[in-house]
Amino acid sequence: KQPVSAYITNANTIALNADSKKKSSMTATTILYLAHSNQVIFNNPHINITTAQGIKWIITAEKALSNKQGTSITLIHNVRLHQPPQNKHPDTTIKTEKLFYDKKKNIAYNHALTHVHQPGIFASGQGITVDFNTNTIKIRSKSRGAYVPQKISHSKQNQTK
């Protein structure tokens, strides 16, 4: 076990893009810095990402590990990516146990079992890549899925006639 070199509670960090607009923010209940291994540990991280197209994503987990520069973050235990419904993009939730977030490339990926939920759609597979630049989700292998059409209420059907 390594000694803790620095300890921060209730941390909130904000990253800006070239136009000084908020690109991402991250909160954590505690941040531990281990100088010996140049590693940073985040407890209960909550990352907000806004893509160049203005699409918002939220990433949460029980724990995250990063190098001191914060260029690559490994999120572990109950990892959840959520894209609230917005601008022709459906509500999307991705769940897994481990996820790598590359801040420079602006992608998240893993090789673990992952589940993707959208209205009426459930998919799972081994490994995933989420590209925040293009807003695409790709299941890498062993994908399985189901589509359940949303029921339209009778009042909506009558309105369309």
PDB file of all heavy atoms in Angstrom, residues 125-155:
ATOM      1  N   GLY A 125     -22.926  -6.814 -25.470  1.00  0.00           N
ATOM      2  CA  GLY A 125     -21.823  -7.414 -26.190  1.00  0.00           C
ATOM      3  C   GLY A 125     -20.534  -7.316 -25.412  1.00  0.00           C
ATOM      4  O   GLY A 125     -20.487  -6.753 -24.319  1.00  0.00           O
ATOM      5  N   GLN A 126     -19.506  -7.858 -26.009  1.00  0.00           N
ATOM      6  CA  GLN A 126     -18.184  -7.859 -25.404  1.00  0.00           C
ATOM      7  C   GLN A 126     -17.391  -6.692 -25.973  1.00  0.00           C
ATOM      8  O   GLN A 126     -17.022  -6.700 -27.140  1.00  0.00           O
ATOM      9  CB  GLN A 126     -17.475  -9.191 -25.699  1.00  0.00           C
ATOM     10  CG  GLN A 126     -16.332  -9.493 -24.791  1.00  0.00           C
ATOM     11  CD  GLN A 126     -16.780  -9.754 -23.362  1.00  0.00           C
ATOM     12  OE1 GLN A 126     -17.868 -10.252 -23.099  1.00  0.00           O
ATOM     13  NE2 GLN A 126     -15.939  -9.397 -22.423  1.00  0.00           N
ATOM     14  N   GLY A 127     -17.179  -5.691 -25.175  1.00  0.00           N
ATOM     15  CA  GLY A 127     -16.418  -4.523 -25.603  1.00  0.00           C
ATOM     16  C   GLY A 127     -17.267  -3.495 -26.310  1.00  0.00           C
ATOM     17  O   GLY A 127     -18.251  -3.834 -26.970  1.00  0.00           O
ATOM     18  N   ILE A 128     -16.895  -2.241 -26.136  1.00  0.00           N
ATOM     19  CA  ILE A 128     -17.645  -1.143 -26.741  1.00  0.00           C
ATOM     20  C   ILE A 128     -16.704   0.020 -27.003  1.00  0.00           C
ATOM     21  O   ILE A 128     -15.676   0.167 -26.323  1.00  0.00           O
ATOM     22  CB  ILE A 128     -18.808  -0.699 -25.828  1.00  0.00           C
ATOM     23  CG1 ILE A 128     -19.802   0.177 -26.589  1.00  0.00           C
ATOM     24  CG2 ILE A 128     -18.295   0.012 -24.577  1.00  0.00           C
ATOM     25  CD1 ILE A 128     -21.113   0.366 -25.879  1.00  0.00           C
ATOM     26  N   THR A 129     -17.031   0.812 -28.002  1.00  0.00           N
ATOM     27  CA  THR A 129     -16.340   2.081 -28.246  1.00  0.00           C
ATOM     28  C   THR A 129     -17.414   3.147 -28.388  1.00  0.00           C
ATOM     29  O   THR A 129     -18.335   2.997 -29.181  1.00  0.00           O
ATOM     30  CB  THR A 129     -15.490   2.031 -29.528  1.00  0.00           C
ATOM     31  OG1 THR A 129     -14.511   1.001 -29.391  1.00  0.00           O
ATOM     32  CG2 THR A 129     -14.781   3.361 -29.765  1.00  0.00           C
ATOM     33  N   VAL A 130     -17.290   4.199 -27.598  1.00  0.00           N
ATOM     34  CA  VAL A 130     -18.182   5.349 -27.706  1.00  0.00           C
ATOM     35  C   VAL A 130     -17.310   6.515 -28.170  1.00  0.00           C
ATOM     36  O   VAL A 130     -16.377   6.911 -27.478  1.00  0.00           O
ATOM     37  CB  VAL A 130     -18.855   5.695 -26.365  1.00  0.00           C
ATOM     38  CG1 VAL A 130     -19.765   6.906 -26.512  1.00  0.00           C
ATOM     39  CG2 VAL A 130     -19.625   4.490 -25.828  1.00  0.00           C
ATOM     40  N   ASP A 131     -17.595   7.005 -29.358  1.00  0.00           N
ATOM     41  CA  ASP A 131     -16.832   8.117 -29.929  1.00  0.00           C
ATOM     42  C   ASP A 131     -17.641   9.391 -29.724  1.00  0.00           C
ATOM     43  O   ASP A 131     -18.682   9.583 -30.354  1.00  0.00           O
ATOM     44  CB  ASP A 131     -16.563   7.875 -31.415  1.00  0.00           C
ATOM     45  CG  ASP A 131     -15.620   8.885 -32.013  1.00  0.00           C
ATOM     46  OD1 ASP A 131     -15.573  10.043 -31.540  1.00  0.00           O
ATOM     47  OD2 ASP A 131     -14.913   8.525 -32.973  1.00  0.00           O
ATOM     48  N   PHE A 132     -17.182  10.243 -28.820  1.00  0.00           N
ATOM     49  CA  PHE A 132     -17.907  11.480 -28.516  1.00  0.00           C
ATOM     50  C   PHE A 132     -17.735  12.514 -29.628  1.00  0.00           C
ATOM     51  O   PHE A 132     -18.484  13.479 -29.688  1.00  0.00           O
ATOM     52  CB  PHE A 132     -17.444  12.054 -27.175  1.00  0.00           C
ATOM     53  CG  PHE A 132     -17.675  11.110 -26.025  1.00  0.00           C
ATOM     54  CD1 PHE A 132     -16.616  10.528 -25.364  1.00  0.00           C
ATOM     55  CD2 PHE A 132     -18.962  10.791 -25.612  1.00  0.00           C
ATOM     56  CE1 PHE A 132     -16.819   9.660 -24.301  1.00  0.00           C
ATOM     57  CE2 PHE A 132     -19.186   9.918 -24.564  1.00  0.00           C
ATOM     58  CZ  PHE A 132     -18.108   9.352 -23.899  1.00  0.00           C
ATOM     59  N   ASN A 133     -16.770  12.320 -30.523  1.00  0.00           N
ATOM     60  CA  ASN A 133     -16.577  13.224 -31.655  1.00  0.00           C
ATOM     61  C   ASN A 133     -17.676  13.048 -32.704  1.00  0.00           C
ATOM     62  O   ASN A 133     -18.137  14.007 -33.297  1.00  0.00           O
ATOM     63  CB  ASN A 133     -15.211  12.984 -32.309  1.00  0.00           C
ATOM     64  CG  ASN A 133     -14.079  13.169 -31.333  1.00  0.00           C
ATOM     65  OD1 ASN A 133     -13.896  14.240 -30.784  1.00  0.00           O
ATOM     66  ND2 ASN A 133     -13.339  12.102 -31.081  1.00  0.00           N
ATOM     67  N   THR A 134     -18.071  11.792 -32.924  1.00  0.00           N
ATOM     68  CA  THR A 134     -19.090  11.480 -33.932  1.00  0.00           C
ATOM     69  C   THR A 134     -20.415  11.044 -33.319  1.00  0.00           C
ATOM     70  O   THR A 134     -21.371  10.784 -34.042  1.00  0.00           O
ATOM     71  CB  THR A 134     -18.583  10.361 -34.870  1.00  0.00           C
ATOM     72  OG1 THR A 134     -18.305   9.199 -34.065  1.00  0.00           O
ATOM     73  CG2 THR A 134     -17.331  10.797 -35.609  1.00  0.00           C
ATOM     74  N   ASN A 135     -20.434  10.918 -31.987  1.00  0.00           N
ATOM     75  CA  ASN A 135     -21.610  10.467 -31.245  1.00  0.00           C
ATOM     76  C   ASN A 135     -22.061   9.082 -31.719  1.00  0.00           C
ATOM     77  O   ASN A 135     -23.246   8.841 -31.943  1.00  0.00           O
ATOM     78  CB  ASN A 135     -22.751  11.478 -31.334  1.00  0.00           C
ATOM     79  CG  ASN A 135     -23.696  11.329 -30.154  1.00  0.00           C
ATOM     80  OD1 ASN A 135     -23.258  11.237 -29.019  1.00  0.00           O
ATOM     81  ND2 ASN A 135     -24.982  11.275 -30.425  1.00  0.00           N
ATOM     82  N   THR A 136     -21.099   8.176 -31.893  1.00  0.00           N
ATOM     83  CA  THR A 136     -21.410   6.810 -32.312  1.00  0.00           C
ATOM     84  C   THR A 136     -21.062   5.816 -31.211  1.00  0.00           C
ATOM     85  O   THR A 136     -20.122   6.032 -30.440  1.00  0.00           O
ATOM     86  CB  THR A 136     -20.650   6.424 -33.596  1.00  0.00           C
ATOM     87  OG1 THR A 136     -19.249   6.615 -33.382  1.00  0.00           O
ATOM     88  CG2 THR A 136     -21.100   7.265 -34.771  1.00  0.00           C
ATOM     89  N   ILE A 137     -21.820   4.734 -31.169  1.00  0.00           N
ATOM     90  CA  ILE A 137     -21.612   3.645 -30.221  1.00  0.00           C
ATOM     91  C   ILE A 137     -21.390   2.384 -31.036  1.00  0.00           C
ATOM     92  O   ILE A 137     -22.198   2.058 -31.904  1.00  0.00           O
ATOM     93  CB  ILE A 137     -22.841   3.461 -29.308  1.00  0.00           C
ATOM     94  CG1 ILE A 137     -23.124   4.748 -28.531  1.00  0.00           C
ATOM     95  CG2 ILE A 137     -22.638   2.276 -28.372  1.00  0.00           C
ATOM     96  CD1 ILE A 137     -24.481   4.741 -27.845  1.00  0.00           C
ATOM     97  N   LYS A 138     -20.311   1.673 -30.756  1.00  0.00           N
ATOM     98  CA  LYS A 138     -20.019   0.444 -31.493  1.00  0.00           C
ATOM     99  C   LYS A 138     -19.738  -0.682 -30.504  1.00  0.00           C
ATOM    100  O   LYS A 138     -18.816  -0.583 -29.695  1.00  0.00           O
ATOM    101  CB  LYS A 138     -18.795   0.645 -32.393  1.00  0.00           C
ATOM    102  CG  LYS A 138     -18.396  -0.589 -33.163  1.00  0.00           C
ATOM    103  CD  LYS A 138     -17.166  -0.345 -33.996  1.00  0.00           C
ATOM    104  CE  LYS A 138     -16.711  -1.615 -34.674  1.00  0.00           C
ATOM    105  NZ  LYS A 138     -15.445  -1.432 -35.378  1.00  0.00           N
ATOM    106  N   ILE A 139     -20.554  -1.747 -30.570  1.00  0.00           N
ATOM    107  CA  ILE A 139     -20.291  -2.945 -29.777  1.00  0.00           C
ATOM    108  C   ILE A 139     -19.273  -3.763 -30.555  1.00  0.00           C
ATOM    109  O   ILE A 139     -19.466  -4.037 -31.736  1.00  0.00           O
ATOM    110  CB  ILE A 139     -21.582  -3.739 -29.507  1.00  0.00           C
ATOM    111  CG1 ILE A 139     -22.534  -2.884 -28.660  1.00  0.00           C
ATOM    112  CG2 ILE A 139     -21.266  -5.057 -28.817  1.00  0.00           C
ATOM    113  CD1 ILE A 139     -23.886  -3.513 -28.423  1.00  0.00           C
ATOM    114  N   ARG A 140     -18.190  -4.167 -29.909  1.00  0.00           N
ATOM    115  CA  ARG A 140     -17.057  -4.791 -30.609  1.00  0.00           C
ATOM    116  C   ARG A 140     -17.302  -6.240 -31.030  1.00  0.00           C
ATOM    117  O   ARG A 140     -16.929  -6.626 -32.117  1.00  0.00           O
ATOM    118  CB  ARG A 140     -15.805  -4.714 -29.744  1.00  0.00           C
ATOM    119  CG  ARG A 140     -15.325  -3.306 -29.541  1.00  0.00           C
ATOM    120  CD  ARG A 140     -14.144  -3.302 -28.601  1.00  0.00           C
ATOM    121  NE  ARG A 140     -13.682  -1.951 -28.414  1.00  0.00           N
ATOM    122  CZ  ARG A 140     -12.421  -1.592 -28.506  1.00  0.00           C
ATOM    123  NH1 ARG A 140     -11.502  -2.486 -28.781  1.00  0.00           N
ATOM    124  NH2 ARG A 140     -12.077  -0.346 -28.309  1.00  0.00           N
ATOM    125  N   SER A 141     -17.867  -7.073 -30.155  1.00  0.00           N
ATOM    126  CA  SER A 141     -18.064  -8.479 -30.530  1.00  0.00           C
ATOM    127  C   SER A 141     -19.153  -9.112 -29.666  1.00  0.00           C
ATOM    128  O   SER A 141     -19.567  -8.554 -28.662  1.00  0.00           O
ATOM    129  CB  SER A 141     -16.756  -9.268 -30.384  1.00  0.00           C
ATOM    130  OG  SER A 141     -16.366  -9.330 -29.023  1.00  0.00           O
ATOM    131  N   LYS A 142     -19.579 -10.301 -30.093  1.00  0.00           N
ATOM    132  CA  LYS A 142     -20.588 -11.098 -29.394  1.00  0.00           C
ATOM    133  C   LYS A 142     -21.830 -10.276 -29.070  1.00  0.00           C
ATOM    134  O   LYS A 142     -22.404 -10.385 -27.992  1.00  0.00           O
ATOM    135  CB  LYS A 142     -20.007 -11.703 -28.117  1.00  0.00           C
ATOM    136  CG  LYS A 142     -18.837 -12.643 -28.363  1.00  0.00           C
ATOM    137  CD  LYS A 142     -18.305 -13.199 -27.074  1.00  0.00           C
ATOM    138  CE  LYS A 142     -17.084 -14.063 -27.349  1.00  0.00           C
ATOM    139  NZ  LYS A 142     -16.437 -14.511 -26.120  1.00  0.00           N
ATOM    140  N   SER A 143     -22.255  -9.468 -30.019  1.00  0.00           N
ATOM    141  CA  SER A 143     -23.406  -8.597 -29.765  1.00  0.00           C
ATOM    142  C   SER A 143     -24.720  -9.367 -29.845  1.00  0.00           C
ATOM    143  O   SER A 143     -24.886 -10.269 -30.659  1.00  0.00           O
ATOM    144  CB  SER A 143     -23.413  -7.418 -30.738  1.00  0.00           C
ATOM    145  OG  SER A 143     -23.491  -7.871 -32.058  1.00  0.00           O
ATOM    146  N   ARG A 144     -25.609  -9.007 -28.970  1.00  0.00           N
ATOM    147  CA  ARG A 144     -26.962  -9.548 -28.911  1.00  0.00           C
ATOM    148  C   ARG A 144     -27.885  -8.375 -28.642  1.00  0.00           C
ATOM    149  O   ARG A 144     -27.516  -7.436 -27.954  1.00  0.00           O
ATOM    150  CB  ARG A 144     -27.123 -10.570 -27.772  1.00  0.00           C
ATOM    151  CG  ARG A 144     -26.190 -11.758 -27.852  1.00  0.00           C
ATOM    152  CD  ARG A 144     -26.735 -12.762 -28.863  1.00  0.00           C
ATOM    153  NE  ARG A 144     -25.941 -13.960 -28.892  1.00  0.00           N
ATOM    154  CZ  ARG A 144     -25.000 -14.218 -29.788  1.00  0.00           C
ATOM    155  NH1 ARG A 144     -24.720 -13.344 -30.710  1.00  0.00           N
ATOM    156  NH2 ARG A 144     -24.333 -15.342 -29.777  1.00  0.00           N
ATOM    157  N   GLY A 145     -29.099  -8.462 -29.162  1.00  0.00           N
ATOM    158  CA  GLY A 145     -30.005  -7.353 -28.922  1.00  0.00           C
ATOM    159  C   GLY A 145     -31.444  -7.729 -29.099  1.00  0.00           C
ATOM    160  O   GLY A 145     -31.774  -8.810 -29.583  1.00  0.00           O
ATOM    161  N   ALA A 146     -32.286  -6.803 -28.694  1.00  0.00           N
ATOM    162  CA  ALA A 146     -33.730  -6.966 -28.843  1.00  0.00           C
ATOM    163  C   ALA A 146     -34.336  -5.606 -29.121  1.00  0.00           C
ATOM    164  O   ALA A 146     -33.882  -4.588 -28.602  1.00  0.00           O
ATOM    165  CB  ALA A 146     -34.328  -7.553 -27.573  1.00  0.00           C
ATOM    166  N   TYR A 147     -35.367  -5.623 -29.971  1.00  0.00           N
ATOM    167  CA  TYR A 147     -36.100  -4.402 -30.282  1.00  0.00           C
ATOM    168  C   TYR A 147     -37.548  -4.629 -29.911  1.00  0.00           C
ATOM    169  O   TYR A 147     -38.169  -5.594 -30.358  1.00  0.00           O
ATOM    170  CB  TYR A 147     -35.979  -4.060 -31.771  1.00  0.00           C
ATOM    171  CG  TYR A 147     -36.866  -2.915 -32.191  1.00  0.00           C
ATOM    172  CD1 TYR A 147     -36.618  -1.625 -31.738  1.00  0.00           C
ATOM    173  CD2 TYR A 147     -37.955  -3.127 -33.018  1.00  0.00           C
ATOM    174  CE1 TYR A 147     -37.444  -0.571 -32.100  1.00  0.00           C
ATOM    175  CE2 TYR A 147     -38.776  -2.084 -33.401  1.00  0.00           C
ATOM    176  CZ  TYR A 147     -38.522  -0.806 -32.942  1.00  0.00           C
ATOM    177  OH  TYR A 147     -39.325   0.242 -33.297  1.00  0.00           O
ATOM    178  N   VAL A 148     -38.079  -3.772 -29.076  1.00  0.00           N
ATOM    179  CA  VAL A 148     -39.474  -3.846 -28.678  1.00  0.00           C
ATOM    180  C   VAL A 148     -40.107  -2.515 -29.059  1.00  0.00           C
ATOM    181  O   VAL A 148     -39.823  -1.490 -28.429  1.00  0.00           O
ATOM    182  CB  VAL A 148     -39.609  -4.088 -27.154  1.00  0.00           C
ATOM    183  CG1 VAL A 148     -41.070  -4.155 -26.761  1.00  0.00           C
ATOM    184  CG2 VAL A 148     -38.871  -5.342 -26.744  1.00  0.00           C
ATOM    185  N   PRO A 149     -40.923  -2.495 -30.123  1.00  0.00           N
ATOM    186  CA  PRO A 149     -41.527  -1.223 -30.543  1.00  0.00           C
ATOM    187  C   PRO A 149     -42.327  -0.590 -29.412  1.00  0.00           C
ATOM    188  O   PRO A 149     -42.984  -1.290 -28.644  1.00  0.00           O
ATOM    189  CB  PRO A 149     -42.442  -1.617 -31.700  1.00  0.00           C
ATOM    190  CG  PRO A 149     -41.995  -2.969 -32.121  1.00  0.00           C
ATOM    191  CD  PRO A 149     -41.366  -3.612 -30.921  1.00  0.00           C
ATOM    192  N   GLN A 150     -42.231   0.705 -29.317  1.00  0.00           N
ATOM    193  CA  GLN A 150     -42.988   1.440 -28.304  1.00  0.00           C
ATOM    194  C   GLN A 150     -44.456   1.431 -28.703  1.00  0.00           C
ATOM    195  O   GLN A 150     -44.786   1.624 -29.878  1.00  0.00           O
ATOM    196  CB  GLN A 150     -42.467   2.860 -28.224  1.00  0.00           C
ATOM    197  CG  GLN A 150     -40.993   2.925 -27.913  1.00  0.00           C
ATOM    198  CD  GLN A 150     -40.740   3.518 -26.556  1.00  0.00           C
ATOM    199  OE1 GLN A 150     -41.545   4.245 -26.035  1.00  0.00           O
ATOM    200  NE2 GLN A 150     -39.599   3.215 -25.997  1.00  0.00           N
ATOM    201  N   LYS A 151     -45.312   1.209 -27.738  1.00  0.00           N
ATOM    202  CA  LYS A 151     -46.748   1.229 -27.997  1.00  0.00           C
ATOM    203  C   LYS A 151     -47.210   2.674 -28.095  1.00  0.00           C
ATOM    204  O   LYS A 151     -46.804   3.524 -27.310  1.00  0.00           O
ATOM    205  CB  LYS A 151     -47.505   0.517 -26.885  1.00  0.00           C
ATOM    206  CG  LYS A 151     -47.274  -0.968 -26.873  1.00  0.00           C
ATOM    207  CD  LYS A 151     -48.116  -1.634 -25.814  1.00  0.00           C
ATOM    208  CE  LYS A 151     -47.876  -3.132 -25.830  1.00  0.00           C
ATOM    209  NZ  LYS A 151     -48.695  -3.821 -24.831  1.00  0.00           N
ATOM    210  N   ILE A 152     -48.040   2.931 -29.074  1.00  0.00           N
ATOM    211  CA  ILE A 152     -48.614   4.260 -29.231  1.00  0.00           C
ATOM    212  C   ILE A 152     -49.989   4.235 -28.568  1.00  0.00           C
ATOM    213  O   ILE A 152     -50.796   3.346 -28.838  1.00  0.00           O
ATOM    214  CB  ILE A 152     -48.752   4.628 -30.727  1.00  0.00           C
ATOM    215  CG1 ILE A 152     -47.369   4.643 -31.378  1.00  0.00           C
ATOM    216  CG2 ILE A 152     -49.449   5.968 -30.881  1.00  0.00           C
ATOM    217  CD1 ILE A 152     -47.417   4.853 -32.873  1.00  0.00           C
ATOM    218  N   SER A 153     -50.221   5.179 -27.696  1.00  0.00           N
ATOM    219  CA  SER A 153     -51.516   5.213 -27.008  1.00  0.00           C
ATOM    220  C   SER A 153     -52.621   5.517 -28.017  1.00  0.00           C
ATOM    221  O   SER A 153     -52.383   6.125 -29.052  1.00  0.00           O
ATOM    222  CB  SER A 153     -51.497   6.248 -25.884  1.00  0.00           C
ATOM    223  OG  SER A 153     -51.455   7.545 -26.435  1.00  0.00           O
ATOM    224  N   HIS A 154     -53.824   5.100 -27.706  1.00  0.00           N
ATOM    225  CA  HIS A 154     -54.965   5.315 -28.604  1.00  0.00           C
ATOM    226  C   HIS A 154     -55.207   6.794 -28.839  1.00  0.00           C
ATOM    227  O   HIS A 154     -55.605   7.198 -29.921  1.00  0.00           O
ATOM    228  CB  HIS A 154     -56.223   4.640 -28.053  1.00  0.00           C
ATOM    229  CG  HIS A 154     -56.121   3.151 -28.106  1.00  0.00           C
ATOM    230  ND1 HIS A 154     -56.085   2.457 -29.288  1.00  0.00           N
ATOM    231  CD2 HIS A 154     -56.010   2.231 -27.121  1.00  0.00           C
ATOM    232  CE1 HIS A 154     -55.973   1.168 -29.041  1.00  0.00           C
ATOM    233  NE2 HIS A 154     -55.927   1.004 -27.725  1.00  0.00           N
ATOM    234  N   SER A 155     -54.964   7.618 -27.837  1.00  0.00           N
ATOM    235  CA  SER A 155     -55.198   9.055 -28.018  1.00  0.00           C
ATOM    236  C   SER A 155     -54.215   9.629 -29.033  1.00  0.00           C
ATOM    237  O   SER A 155     -54.561  10.491 -29.821  1.00  0.00           O
ATOM    238  CB  SER A 155     -55.083   9.796 -26.688  1.00  0.00           C
ATOM    239  OG  SER A 155     -53.786   9.648 -26.145  1.00  0.00           O
TER     240      SER A 155
END
